[in-house]
Amino acid sequence: MTDIRRIPVAGEGFRAYDVVVGQGLLADPVHWIAPFLTNRRLVVVTDSHVGPLHAESLTAPFAAAGYRTDVITVPAGEQSKSFDCLKVVLDALLDLGLDRKDVVIALGGGVIGDLTGFACAIYMRGIDFIQVPTTVLAQVDSSVGGKTAIDHEKGKNLIGAFWQPRLVLCDLDVLKTLPEREIRCGYAEIIKYGLLGDRAFFDWLEANDTAVISLEPEALQYAISRSVEMKAEIVAADEREGGKRALLNLGHTFGHALEAEVGFGDVLLHGEAVAIGTAQAFRYSAASGLCSGEDRDRAVAAISHAGLPTRMADIRNEAFDADRLVHHMAGDKKAEGGTLTFILVKTIGDAYVAKKVDARSIRDFLVTDGAVITETV
């Protein structure tokens, strides 16, 4: 049994909270969650996949302790980050009669965390929620920092709000129910932290990626805790992504364009898109003379060694349209005044925000780099 880690997230303009990382946290959910429940009721939002696995173990101890318990279930998948599912959640909260002192639990991956957080941000102008992330990706990324959103047909996460949780419970044991593909998707966000700001962490991941992906407790605990520590530090300095926080989007401008092009679903999961996007950010940085070819090759090799895709050809063995991809990038939240913003790299562990990137240079890179392809490379 690994030690339980408490990682504080604190910054100007929002109430501090803890991210708790450890094994067996949901074995005693009343201990962790009850102190935040002013009213003696537990309302859980989950999805059709996670609910049957974990909802009963979360709610039963509260029911035994005399709490009213209710579970709101939406369909599993990225498609639930929609206006339709947002209305389902809001209607259910209203039907349950929640008031502004109630707390909602988000039990699931990034989709549930984003959807529930946004619903809580706008319900009665804001009620508290607690994140109980059940995927690696959600534990190291989307559950921490207060970015909540739903998708729009024009792009991912375009409708949302900053709304910090009261608590984040990262129980390592729930990850055992994940398929390997989902674990690897979470690892894409873990390695991103080393590549953007901690070369020593990246070095450690190179040597320990198999242990992390295999969910070996000590390696997993360190990888998730270090990722959360880095995100907490960045969020504390820049909650609303006015500067440094944008670094967390390494790989995301390329990645979100791919997701928009192939459709948000199982063809390309978010972590896989981030993996491809991060590799492309290193390739573009090297092609632009910003980082060395050695660092590019090392970063791409580390992503590939973890069983993640590094090119669009790994996802779809047919041509992508470079102009369409650039068009998707122009709709990215980081775009300003019609110009593109990317997270680029000087070296492994040293990323920076590059504004006003020439769209033509991105298009030319996508073509000459082989990212727009007709056969697998």
Side-chain angles (χ1 to χ4, degrees):
M1 179 72 71
T2 58
D3 293 334
I4 293 175
R5 290 284 313 278
R6 283 181 176 267
I7 302 165
V9 183
E12 293 185 11
F14 66 88
R15 181 171 45 192
Y17 57 94
D18 286 340
V19 180
V20 184
V21 183
Q23 293 177 277
L25 300 180
L26 293 186
D28 187 9
V30 176
H31 169 78
W32 297 105
I33 295 174
F36 297 92
L37 304 182
T38 303
N39 297 328
R40 290 186 63 83
R41 71 164 134 190
L42 184 79
V43 177
V44 177
V45 180
T46 189
D47 67 36
S48 57
H49 178 71
V50 174
L53 293 172
H54 303 298
E56 176 66 20
S57 61
L58 175 60
T59 59
F62 284 94
Y67 286 74
R68 173 182 171 179
T69 62
D70 293 283
V71 178
I72 302 166
T73 304
V74 301
E78 184 75 23
Q79 295 84 351
S80 285
K81 284 178 59 172
S82 65
F83 284 105
D84 288 343
C85 276
L86 176 66
K87 184 177 186 303
V88 167
V89 173
L90 292 172
D91 286 348
L93 298 181
L94 288 166
D95 289 343
L96 291 171
L98 266 66
D99 62 41
R100 296 181 70 180
K101 291 188 177 181
D102 278 307
V103 179
V104 178
I105 312 300
L107 175 67
V111 170
I112 288 298
D114 282 2
L115 173 66
T116 305
F118 184 42
C120 290
I122 60 177
Y123 182 83
M124 293 189 174
R125 297 194 178 95
I127 62 172
D128 287 336
F129 81 114
I130 290 173
Q131 290 269 23
V132 182
T134 59
T135 66
V136 178
L137 193 151
Q139 290 191 0
V140 302
D141 184 61
S142 59
S143 67
V144 182
K147 287 172 70 173
T148 70
I150 58 174
D151 299 332
H152 188 277
E153 61 184 14
K154 294 186 179 296
K156 189 178 177 72
N157 296 329
L158 293 181
I159 313 297
F162 290 94
W163 193 247
Q164 300 289 346
R166 291 297 311 277
L167 174 74
V168 181
L169 279 183
C170 297
D171 187 340
L172 303 180
D173 287 342
V174 303
L175 304 178
K176 296 174 184 177
T177 62
L178 292 175
E180 186 174 300
R181 186 184 181 192
E182 288 283 358
I183 296 170
R184 294 185 190 278
C185 283
Y187 185 81
E189 294 283 2
I190 291 174
I191 198 171
K192 176 196 75 175
Y193 286 104
L195 290 169
L196 71 86
D198 188 343
R199 192 178 187 112
F201 183 39
F202 173 79
D203 294 343
W204 183 88
L205 289 169
E206 273 190 314
N208 293 277
D209 59 352
T210 300
V212 175
I213 293 168
S214 299
L215 305 183
E216 294 183 12
E218 290 187 3
L220 183 65
Q221 169 99 353
Y222 176 70
I224 289 180
S225 296
R226 181 61 190 135
S227 299
V228 171
E229 285 173 345
M230 290 186 67
K231 183 158 191 180
E233 178 184 346
I234 291 171
V235 169
D238 179 23
E239 182 198 10
R240 295 183 175 261
E241 205 170 69
K244 184 178 181 180
R245 184 166 181 171
L247 295 175
L248 295 170
N249 289 308
L250 175 64
H252 284 61
T253 304
F254 285 109
H256 283 172
L258 277 178
E259 288 182 278
E261 183 65 12
V262 304
F264 301 109
D266 292 338
V267 174
L268 178 66
L269 300 182
H270 178 64
E272 294 165 341
V274 170
I276 296 172
T278 301
Q280 292 296 75
F282 269 86
R283 291 190 182 108
Y284 179 79
S285 296
S288 303
L290 300 170
C291 82
S292 69
E294 179 182 358
D295 275 358
R296 172 201 61 207
D297 293 346
R298 188 178 169 196
V300 173
I303 295 168
S304 179
H305 189 263
L308 288 160
T310 64
R311 289 189 183 275
M312 288 178 282
D314 297 333
I315 296 299
R316 193 176 81 184
N317 189 22
E318 60 185 80
F320 283 84
D321 187 313
D323 291 323
R324 283 181 58 85
L325 292 175
V326 172
H327 174 74
H328 291 312
M329 293 174 188
D332 188 85
K333 298 185 300 302
K334 299 179 293 301
E336 295 181 4
T339 64
L340 302 180
T341 298
F342 281 82
I343 311 305
L344 302 178
V345 290
K346 299 176 182 177
T347 185
I348 290 173
D350 187 7
Y352 72 100
V353 181
K355 297 187 176 183
K356 298 183 179 180
V357 176
D358 183 17
R360 288 175 300 178
S361 73
I362 295 295
R363 184 193 180 281
D364 291 345
F365 161 74
L366 289 173
V367 174
T368 60
D369 181 69
V372 180
I373 49 87
T374 56
E375 62 182 3
T376 303
V377 295

